[in-house]
Amino acid sequence: MTNRPKYLNLVQIRMPVTALVSILHRASGALLFLALPWLLWWWQVSLASADAFASLQAMMTHWFARLVMLGLVWSYLHHVCAGIRHLMLDVDVGTELAAARLSSKLVLGISITLTLLIGAALW
């Protein structure tokens, strides 16, 4: 028998909630970073003239644009909530397993709830 590495199917592995929040924190940060050029461009266009603002506002009424913006809102809210959680962990608050699991569930719950509330208000 050889000591070769085993194939791990990442879809079948059940990750703990703390790992899921950590991975989503990285993914949301990457999404925000990659979206930054478009957000800055949209902001520049909106400030160029009243007509440009009106056309951008009309574009944002499309369902796909609203869905993208809702995704960016979730990304921002999750990244902020998970970042606060990570800062607390850095100062040794909530490092016990039960507290870490609870804070991870709170991050998911708060970010999703706030996203749904903002989405309901803006949609």
Side-chain angles (χ1 to χ4, degrees), residues 14-94:
R14 184 173 171 200
M15 285 189 270
V17 68
T18 53
L20 180 65
V21 167
S22 182
I23 290 169
L24 287 175
H25 183 246
R26 291 172 187 253
S28 64
L31 179 65
L32 289 170
F33 176 76
L34 294 174
L36 193 59
W38 282 282
L39 292 172
L40 290 173
W41 179 73
W42 287 337
W43 189 25
Q44 178 184 358
V45 167
S46 73
L47 296 175
S49 69
D51 292 334
F53 178 77
S55 84
L56 186 65
Q57 192 174 23
M59 183 184 81
M60 288 299 166
T61 61
H62 192 269
W63 68 268
F64 185 73
R66 287 184 177 188
L67 191 62
V68 168
M69 294 311 291
L70 191 62
L72 289 173
V73 166
W74 169 82
S75 183
Y76 174 75
L77 291 171
H78 179 81
H79 198 74
V80 167
C81 292
I84 292 170
R85 177 183 175 270
H86 282 289
L87 287 174
M88 298 302 288
L89 292 173
D90 285 343
V91 295
D92 204 28
V93 173

